[in-house]
């Protein structure tokens, strides 16, 4: 009997880094001698390890010039070199010079329970192979009700398990040009009731299903089964990180965003990745001189865009602009090989930028600015993030946005490796905390902010549309009902969708009756999307709180950052009021009316 199990067959060329990584013992010894000069005897006493282990570790650390030997008064003691001290206290990885080994890797994902195996452990064939097989009793399993996750992230995790052998190896690169995925079959023979050539690591669920299929009457050529693997892809929850956040890392304004963009391009060491929802080839031409200079010193660019979910016409328009930008790049000899324009939309409304620095660290920018389409005239907000674990979260989000073509997406693969490396960095705790906001977590932040505020809430949205009431106004009404002393102001610039100006005026009148303000800002326009409450909490995002909501099936469609930092909300409110003095005037009027009511 021949049983055909449907599979996905994946294959690609990879590069493996082979080399001995630094052990915990070696890093602990480096840390110890960076505090005080210590002898071998001292280290043996403090650590409780064998003398030969300490000597071997010291020998390797000296070979990489991380520690030095000092002889004082006839006593030999070890101290960390300046390089070693910077490495251990700076949170950077210790020097590692692996041998790079290319190889071809293939694996299969069975679609019944989601298990995966190296290709060499199974017999694989196409449908034509199944049809011409001479076995008189052939049974094909047809899976219903779901299937295994085949996203870039899931396949990278499988590939890392399959390709790497032992602690001295790690996956270093995937050649996207060689990556392929095919829908085929895994052939399993059943002879005299005994299952043959099923991998030893196959799950009990898969074995049970194969046994059940084998026990059916021979007339069953196709056997439907229900998918019994994980229903959803396991994702690491987004967590908060301790960070140091300076007021100048919150960029507010229009031309200020252009200055930020140029500073990141000029300061990049070798890499810049830009995600802009919309594109404009004229704006791109304006940036060409700085881009050309960066390319001349070895910086490589990737430009992604994401207008897909805004309608076919908008996507088509941006696709044509992407073609035009690609033409400009192709015809420019200085940037042609170092600037890649992605021709397929990510479908995300997020505005992100990633760039490396001369120090080896990375910087992320998260906010409301469409880097490659806006004229930098409206008021935008961007948070500049320098904590490496937080930048890693942004890289993971970029990976999920770009990785729709599996392992063939090189930018997604690069972001996967970047996130892995940045998460290993050690950093000193800061005075602020930051958490990436993805998808429907925006609703949680809005409810948290309006529900926790004691004194003041200020929220901004470029657009006011059909979702204004559930996403924007109801939260304000609930907050006022909870505490009448709260000063709540909701800002917007454009009435959109089915909502007209007269409807917006009606909403503003209702807001005034309910104890808060809905204010339209015309000149300059507010394009920034933010939420600030009391003194210490802000959220900067790409989501128009007043006119849109994040789709449930694509968390990376809208991305923001929640910052808790002493005085950051008060600082942001003051800066917004400088751009829009009418907000402060309205606050003064409200305060005056309140005083008059108290006198009466």
């Amino acid at each position: 009997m021949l049983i055909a199990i449907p599979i996905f067959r994946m294959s690609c060329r990879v590069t493996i880094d082979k080399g001995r990584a630094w052990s915990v013992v070696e890093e602990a010894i480096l840390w110890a001698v960076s505090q005080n000069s210590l002898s071998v005897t001292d280290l043996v006493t403090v650590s409780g390890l064998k003398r030969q282990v300490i000597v071997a570790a010291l020998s390797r650390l000296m070979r990489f010039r991380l520690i030095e030997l000092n002889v004082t008064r006839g006593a030999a003691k070890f101290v960390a070199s300046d390089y070693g001290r910077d490495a251990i206290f700076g949170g950077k990885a210790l020097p590692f010079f692996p041998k790079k080994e290319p190889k071809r890797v293939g694996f299969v994902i069975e679609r019944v329970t989601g298990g995966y195996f190296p290709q060499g452990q199974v017999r694989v064939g196409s449908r034509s192979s199944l049809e011409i097989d001479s076995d008189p009793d052939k049974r094909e399993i047809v899976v219903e009700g779901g299937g295994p996750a085949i996203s870039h992230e899931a396949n990278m995790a499988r590939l890392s398990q399959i390709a790497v052998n032992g602690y001295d190896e790690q996956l270093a690169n995937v050649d996207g040009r060689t990556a392929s995925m095919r829908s085929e079959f895994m052939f399993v023979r059943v002879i005299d009731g005994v299952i043959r050539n099923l991998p030893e690591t196959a799950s009990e669920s898969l074995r049970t299903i194969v046994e059940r299929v084998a026990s059916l009457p021979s007339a069953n050529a196709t056997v439907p089964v229900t998918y019994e693997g994980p229903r959803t892809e396991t994702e690491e929850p987004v967590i908060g990180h301790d960070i140091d956040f300076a007021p100048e890392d919150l960029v507010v304004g229009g031309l200020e965003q252009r200055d930020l963009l140029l500073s990141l391009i000029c300061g990049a060491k070798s890499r810049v990745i830009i995600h802009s929802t919309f594109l404009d080839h004229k704006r791109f031409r304006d940036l060409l001189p700085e881009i050309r200079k960066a390319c001349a010193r070895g910086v490589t660019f990737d430009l992604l865009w994401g207008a897909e979910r805004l309608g076919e016409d908008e996507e088509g328009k941006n696709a044509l602009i992407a073609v035009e930008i690609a033409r400009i790049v192709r015809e420019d000899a200085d940037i042609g090989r170092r600037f890649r324009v992605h021709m397929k939309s990510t479908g995300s409304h997020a505005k992100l930028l990633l760039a490396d620095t001369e120090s080896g660290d990375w910087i992320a920018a998260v906010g409301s600015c469409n880097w490659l389409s806006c004229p930098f005239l409206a008021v935008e907000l961007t948070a500049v993030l320098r904590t490496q674990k937080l930048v890693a979260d942004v890289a993971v989000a970029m990976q999920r946005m770009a990785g729709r073509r599996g392992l063939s997406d090189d930018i997604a693969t690069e972001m996967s490796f970047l996130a892995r490396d940045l998460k290993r960095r050690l950093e000193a705790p800061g005075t602020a905390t930051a958490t990436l906001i993805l998808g429907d977590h925006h609703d949680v932040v809005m409810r948290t902010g309006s529900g926790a505020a004691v004194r003041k809430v200020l929220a901004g949205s470029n657009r006011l549309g059909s979702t204004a009431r559930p996403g924007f106004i109801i939260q304000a009404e609930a907050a006022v009902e909870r505490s009448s002393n709260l000063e709540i102001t909701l800002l917007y610039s454009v009435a959109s969708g089915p909502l007209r100006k007269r409807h917006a005026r009606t909403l503003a009148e209702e807001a005034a009756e309910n104890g808060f303000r809905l204010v339209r800002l015309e000149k300059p326009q507010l394009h920034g999307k933010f939420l600030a409450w009391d003194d210490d909490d802000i959220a900067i995002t790409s989501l128009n709180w007043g006119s849109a909501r994040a789709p449930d099936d694509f968390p990376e469609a809208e991305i923001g950052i929640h910052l808790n930092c002493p005085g950051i909300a008060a600082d942001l409110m003051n800066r917004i009021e400088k751009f829009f003095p009418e907000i402060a005037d309205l606050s003064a009027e409200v305060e005056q009316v309140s005083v008059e009511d108290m006198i009466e």
Side-chain angles (χ1 to χ4, degrees), residues 4 22 63 71 170 177 179 192 234 240 295 309 322 370 374 414 452 497 501 513 549 572 599:
W22 292 98
R63 189 162 64 249
V71 179
Q170 71 173 4
R177 297 169 299 178
D192 296 330
T234 302
C295 290
R309 291 181 179 268
N370 287 300
C374 78
E414 180 187 357
K501 289 183 179 180
E513 293 173 0
R549 68 179 306 274
L572 174 58
I599 293 174

PDB file of all heavy atoms in Angstrom, residues 4 22 63 71 170 177 179 192 234 240 295 309 322 370 374 414 452 497 501 513 549 572 599:
ATOM      1  N   ALA A   4       0.014   8.686   0.179  1.00  0.00           N
ATOM      2  CA  ALA A   4       0.603   9.970  -0.230  1.00  0.00           C
ATOM      3  C   ALA A   4       0.144  11.064   0.730  1.00  0.00           C
ATOM      4  O   ALA A   4      -1.051  11.352   0.828  1.00  0.00           O
ATOM      5  CB  ALA A   4       0.195  10.304  -1.657  1.00  0.00           C
ATOM      6  N   TRP A  22      31.860  32.110  22.209  1.00  0.00           N
ATOM      7  CA  TRP A  22      32.354  32.397  23.557  1.00  0.00           C
ATOM      8  C   TRP A  22      31.458  31.751  24.596  1.00  0.00           C
ATOM      9  O   TRP A  22      30.243  31.811  24.515  1.00  0.00           O
ATOM     10  CB  TRP A  22      32.406  33.909  23.782  1.00  0.00           C
ATOM     11  CG  TRP A  22      33.433  34.583  22.938  1.00  0.00           C
ATOM     12  CD1 TRP A  22      33.223  35.227  21.766  1.00  0.00           C
ATOM     13  CD2 TRP A  22      34.835  34.652  23.198  1.00  0.00           C
ATOM     14  NE1 TRP A  22      34.407  35.695  21.256  1.00  0.00           N
ATOM     15  CE2 TRP A  22      35.419  35.369  22.124  1.00  0.00           C
ATOM     16  CE3 TRP A  22      35.663  34.185  24.217  1.00  0.00           C
ATOM     17  CZ2 TRP A  22      36.779  35.624  22.045  1.00  0.00           C
ATOM     18  CZ3 TRP A  22      37.021  34.453  24.139  1.00  0.00           C
ATOM     19  CH2 TRP A  22      37.568  35.162  23.072  1.00  0.00           C
ATOM     20  N   ARG A  63      44.482  35.712  23.379  1.00  0.00           N
ATOM     21  CA  ARG A  63      44.718  35.574  21.944  1.00  0.00           C
ATOM     22  C   ARG A  63      43.903  36.606  21.144  1.00  0.00           C
ATOM     23  O   ARG A  63      44.339  37.084  20.105  1.00  0.00           O
ATOM     24  CB  ARG A  63      44.371  34.151  21.493  1.00  0.00           C
ATOM     25  CG  ARG A  63      44.785  33.842  20.064  1.00  0.00           C
ATOM     26  CD  ARG A  63      44.837  32.345  19.800  1.00  0.00           C
ATOM     27  NE  ARG A  63      43.547  31.705  19.908  1.00  0.00           N
ATOM     28  CZ  ARG A  63      43.201  30.857  20.866  1.00  0.00           C
ATOM     29  NH1 ARG A  63      44.064  30.562  21.835  1.00  0.00           N
ATOM     30  NH2 ARG A  63      42.008  30.302  20.898  1.00  0.00           N
ATOM     31  N   VAL A  71      52.571  42.339  35.373  1.00  0.00           N
ATOM     32  CA  VAL A  71      53.442  41.793  36.430  1.00  0.00           C
ATOM     33  C   VAL A  71      53.833  42.932  37.358  1.00  0.00           C
ATOM     34  O   VAL A  71      54.510  43.872  36.956  1.00  0.00           O
ATOM     35  CB  VAL A  71      54.700  41.128  35.847  1.00  0.00           C
ATOM     36  CG1 VAL A  71      55.585  40.595  36.979  1.00  0.00           C
ATOM     37  CG2 VAL A  71      54.320  40.015  34.875  1.00  0.00           C
ATOM     38  N   GLN A 170      25.982  28.272  13.339  1.00  0.00           N
ATOM     39  CA  GLN A 170      24.762  29.068  13.318  1.00  0.00           C
ATOM     40  C   GLN A 170      24.486  29.511  11.890  1.00  0.00           C
ATOM     41  O   GLN A 170      25.404  29.693  11.077  1.00  0.00           O
ATOM     42  CB  GLN A 170      24.844  30.268  14.254  1.00  0.00           C
ATOM     43  CG  GLN A 170      25.776  31.373  13.827  1.00  0.00           C
ATOM     44  CD  GLN A 170      25.660  32.598  14.718  1.00  0.00           C
ATOM     45  OE1 GLN A 170      24.929  32.607  15.699  1.00  0.00           O
ATOM     46  NE2 GLN A 170      26.382  33.645  14.374  1.00  0.00           N
ATOM     47  N   ARG A 177      17.707  33.884  -3.999  1.00  0.00           N
ATOM     48  CA  ARG A 177      17.597  33.540  -5.422  1.00  0.00           C
ATOM     49  C   ARG A 177      17.454  32.040  -5.629  1.00  0.00           C
ATOM     50  O   ARG A 177      16.950  31.596  -6.670  1.00  0.00           O
ATOM     51  CB  ARG A 177      18.806  34.062  -6.188  1.00  0.00           C
ATOM     52  CG  ARG A 177      18.952  35.581  -6.171  1.00  0.00           C
ATOM     53  CD  ARG A 177      20.308  36.002  -6.708  1.00  0.00           C
ATOM     54  NE  ARG A 177      21.392  35.459  -5.893  1.00  0.00           N
ATOM     55  CZ  ARG A 177      22.676  35.638  -6.149  1.00  0.00           C
ATOM     56  NH1 ARG A 177      23.033  36.332  -7.222  1.00  0.00           N
ATOM     57  NH2 ARG A 177      23.600  35.124  -5.345  1.00  0.00           N
ATOM     58  N   ALA A 179      15.943  29.983  -3.338  1.00  0.00           N
ATOM     59  CA  ALA A 179      14.862  29.450  -2.504  1.00  0.00           C
ATOM     60  C   ALA A 179      13.666  29.040  -3.359  1.00  0.00           C
ATOM     61  O   ALA A 179      13.284  29.748  -4.294  1.00  0.00           O
ATOM     62  CB  ALA A 179      14.429  30.486  -1.472  1.00  0.00           C
ATOM     63  N   ASP A 192       2.292  -5.317   4.987  1.00  0.00           N
ATOM     64  CA  ASP A 192       1.812  -6.249   6.019  1.00  0.00           C
ATOM     65  C   ASP A 192       1.467  -5.519   7.319  1.00  0.00           C
ATOM     66  O   ASP A 192       1.786  -5.999   8.418  1.00  0.00           O
ATOM     67  CB  ASP A 192       2.851  -7.332   6.291  1.00  0.00           C
ATOM     68  CG  ASP A 192       3.105  -8.218   5.078  1.00  0.00           C
ATOM     69  OD1 ASP A 192       2.143  -8.376   4.280  1.00  0.00           O
ATOM     70  OD2 ASP A 192       4.227  -8.709   4.926  1.00  0.00           O
ATOM     71  N   THR A 234       2.849  30.743  16.156  1.00  0.00           N
ATOM     72  CA  THR A 234       3.288  31.226  17.466  1.00  0.00           C
ATOM     73  C   THR A 234       4.164  32.459  17.291  1.00  0.00           C
ATOM     74  O   THR A 234       5.169  32.426  16.579  1.00  0.00           O
ATOM     75  CB  THR A 234       4.067  30.132  18.214  1.00  0.00           C
ATOM     76  OG1 THR A 234       3.239  28.977  18.343  1.00  0.00           O
ATOM     77  CG2 THR A 234       4.484  30.619  19.586  1.00  0.00           C
ATOM     78  N   GLY A 240       7.875  45.384  26.771  1.00  0.00           N
ATOM     79  CA  GLY A 240       8.476  46.689  26.982  1.00  0.00           C
ATOM     80  C   GLY A 240       9.964  46.572  27.273  1.00  0.00           C
ATOM     81  O   GLY A 240      10.447  45.536  27.751  1.00  0.00           O
ATOM     82  N   CYS A 295      25.727  56.364  -1.024  1.00  0.00           N
ATOM     83  CA  CYS A 295      26.086  55.206  -1.846  1.00  0.00           C
ATOM     84  C   CYS A 295      27.568  55.222  -2.190  1.00  0.00           C
ATOM     85  O   CYS A 295      28.224  54.169  -2.247  1.00  0.00           O
ATOM     86  CB  CYS A 295      25.245  55.185  -3.118  1.00  0.00           C
ATOM     87  SG  CYS A 295      23.495  54.791  -2.853  1.00  0.00           S
ATOM     88  N   ARG A 309      -3.598  48.568   0.902  1.00  0.00           N
ATOM     89  CA  ARG A 309      -4.896  48.480   1.569  1.00  0.00           C
ATOM     90  C   ARG A 309      -5.720  49.752   1.431  1.00  0.00           C
ATOM     91  O   ARG A 309      -6.823  49.832   1.932  1.00  0.00           O
ATOM     92  CB  ARG A 309      -4.701  48.150   3.049  1.00  0.00           C
ATOM     93  CG  ARG A 309      -4.186  46.734   3.249  1.00  0.00           C
ATOM     94  CD  ARG A 309      -4.009  46.408   4.723  1.00  0.00           C
ATOM     95  NE  ARG A 309      -3.537  45.051   4.872  1.00  0.00           N
ATOM     96  CZ  ARG A 309      -4.331  44.000   5.024  1.00  0.00           C
ATOM     97  NH1 ARG A 309      -5.623  44.148   5.047  1.00  0.00           N
ATOM     98  NH2 ARG A 309      -3.821  42.789   5.156  1.00  0.00           N
ATOM     99  N   ALA A 322       6.779  53.673  -8.160  1.00  0.00           N
ATOM    100  CA  ALA A 322       7.905  52.789  -7.835  1.00  0.00           C
ATOM    101  C   ALA A 322       8.679  52.429  -9.098  1.00  0.00           C
ATOM    102  O   ALA A 322       9.924  52.370  -9.084  1.00  0.00           O
ATOM    103  CB  ALA A 322       7.399  51.528  -7.140  1.00  0.00           C
ATOM    104  N   ASN A 370       5.543  59.984   5.897  1.00  0.00           N
ATOM    105  CA  ASN A 370       5.799  59.246   4.668  1.00  0.00           C
ATOM    106  C   ASN A 370       7.086  59.783   4.050  1.00  0.00           C
ATOM    107  O   ASN A 370       7.089  60.780   3.329  1.00  0.00           O
ATOM    108  CB  ASN A 370       4.626  59.416   3.696  1.00  0.00           C
ATOM    109  CG  ASN A 370       3.406  58.644   4.130  1.00  0.00           C
ATOM    110  OD1 ASN A 370       3.446  57.422   4.257  1.00  0.00           O
ATOM    111  ND2 ASN A 370       2.325  59.355   4.386  1.00  0.00           N
ATOM    112  N   CYS A 374       6.039  62.918   1.295  1.00  0.00           N
ATOM    113  CA  CYS A 374       5.526  64.158   1.882  1.00  0.00           C
ATOM    114  C   CYS A 374       6.448  65.335   1.560  1.00  0.00           C
ATOM    115  O   CYS A 374       7.652  65.169   1.415  1.00  0.00           O
ATOM    116  CB  CYS A 374       5.342  64.009   3.386  1.00  0.00           C
ATOM    117  SG  CYS A 374       6.859  64.115   4.326  1.00  0.00           S
ATOM    118  N   GLU A 414      17.325  39.249   5.981  1.00  0.00           N
ATOM    119  CA  GLU A 414      18.278  40.147   6.632  1.00  0.00           C
ATOM    120  C   GLU A 414      17.725  40.674   7.945  1.00  0.00           C
ATOM    121  O   GLU A 414      18.439  40.741   8.952  1.00  0.00           O
ATOM    122  CB  GLU A 414      18.603  41.320   5.703  1.00  0.00           C
ATOM    123  CG  GLU A 414      19.583  42.303   6.309  1.00  0.00           C
ATOM    124  CD  GLU A 414      19.776  43.553   5.462  1.00  0.00           C
ATOM    125  OE1 GLU A 414      19.178  43.630   4.370  1.00  0.00           O
ATOM    126  OE2 GLU A 414      20.513  44.454   5.899  1.00  0.00           O
ATOM    127  N   ALA A 452      -6.522  55.833  32.346  1.00  0.00           N
ATOM    128  CA  ALA A 452      -5.562  56.055  33.432  1.00  0.00           C
ATOM    129  C   ALA A 452      -5.284  57.532  33.679  1.00  0.00           C
ATOM    130  O   ALA A 452      -4.748  57.888  34.727  1.00  0.00           O
ATOM    131  CB  ALA A 452      -4.255  55.341  33.113  1.00  0.00           C
ATOM    132  N   GLY A 497     -13.836  60.234   4.133  1.00  0.00           N
ATOM    133  CA  GLY A 497     -14.820  59.187   3.910  1.00  0.00           C
ATOM    134  C   GLY A 497     -16.222  59.758   3.844  1.00  0.00           C
ATOM    135  O   GLY A 497     -16.451  60.836   3.282  1.00  0.00           O
ATOM    136  N   LYS A 501     -17.850  67.998   6.442  1.00  0.00           N
ATOM    137  CA  LYS A 501     -17.524  69.057   7.385  1.00  0.00           C
ATOM    138  C   LYS A 501     -18.685  69.336   8.325  1.00  0.00           C
ATOM    139  O   LYS A 501     -18.490  69.605   9.514  1.00  0.00           O
ATOM    140  CB  LYS A 501     -17.128  70.325   6.642  1.00  0.00           C
ATOM    141  CG  LYS A 501     -15.778  70.237   5.948  1.00  0.00           C
ATOM    142  CD  LYS A 501     -15.409  71.560   5.292  1.00  0.00           C
ATOM    143  CE  LYS A 501     -14.043  71.470   4.625  1.00  0.00           C
ATOM    144  NZ  LYS A 501     -13.659  72.751   3.970  1.00  0.00           N
ATOM    145  N   GLU A 513     -20.749  69.553  24.546  1.00  0.00           N
ATOM    146  CA  GLU A 513     -21.827  69.252  25.497  1.00  0.00           C
ATOM    147  C   GLU A 513     -21.423  68.149  26.472  1.00  0.00           C
ATOM    148  O   GLU A 513     -21.879  68.127  27.625  1.00  0.00           O
ATOM    149  CB  GLU A 513     -23.083  68.833  24.737  1.00  0.00           C
ATOM    150  CG  GLU A 513     -23.706  69.961  23.910  1.00  0.00           C
ATOM    151  CD  GLU A 513     -24.850  69.466  23.041  1.00  0.00           C
ATOM    152  OE1 GLU A 513     -25.139  68.235  23.094  1.00  0.00           O
ATOM    153  OE2 GLU A 513     -25.449  70.272  22.315  1.00  0.00           O
ATOM    154  N   ARG A 549      -9.043  51.759  11.757  1.00  0.00           N
ATOM    155  CA  ARG A 549      -8.651  50.772  12.759  1.00  0.00           C
ATOM    156  C   ARG A 549      -7.754  49.748  12.100  1.00  0.00           C
ATOM    157  O   ARG A 549      -7.846  49.510  10.892  1.00  0.00           O
ATOM    158  CB  ARG A 549      -9.858  50.111  13.425  1.00  0.00           C
ATOM    159  CG  ARG A 549     -10.675  49.210  12.541  1.00  0.00           C
ATOM    160  CD  ARG A 549     -11.828  48.586  13.317  1.00  0.00           C
ATOM    161  NE  ARG A 549     -11.381  47.913  14.507  1.00  0.00           N
ATOM    162  CZ  ARG A 549     -10.955  46.639  14.528  1.00  0.00           C
ATOM    163  NH1 ARG A 549     -10.898  45.941  13.410  1.00  0.00           N
ATOM    164  NH2 ARG A 549     -10.559  46.086  15.654  1.00  0.00           N
ATOM    165  N   LEU A 572       5.624  67.168  24.983  1.00  0.00           N
ATOM    166  CA  LEU A 572       4.951  67.056  23.693  1.00  0.00           C
ATOM    167  C   LEU A 572       3.762  68.008  23.615  1.00  0.00           C
ATOM    168  O   LEU A 572       3.562  68.673  22.584  1.00  0.00           O
ATOM    169  CB  LEU A 572       4.493  65.612  23.463  1.00  0.00           C
ATOM    170  CG  LEU A 572       3.652  65.383  22.205  1.00  0.00           C
ATOM    171  CD1 LEU A 572       4.395  65.815  20.956  1.00  0.00           C
ATOM    172  CD2 LEU A 572       3.222  63.917  22.100  1.00  0.00           C
ATOM    173  N   ILE A 599     -16.979  81.101  41.038  1.00  0.00           N
ATOM    174  CA  ILE A 599     -17.326  82.356  41.726  1.00  0.00           C
ATOM    175  C   ILE A 599     -18.833  82.474  41.894  1.00  0.00           C
ATOM    176  O   ILE A 599     -19.354  82.854  42.943  1.00  0.00           O
ATOM    177  CB  ILE A 599     -16.769  83.558  40.938  1.00  0.00           C
ATOM    178  CG1 ILE A 599     -15.239  83.525  40.984  1.00  0.00           C
ATOM    179  CG2 ILE A 599     -17.297  84.863  41.503  1.00  0.00           C
ATOM    180  CD1 ILE A 599     -14.590  84.580  40.112  1.00  0.00           C
TER     181      ILE A 599
END
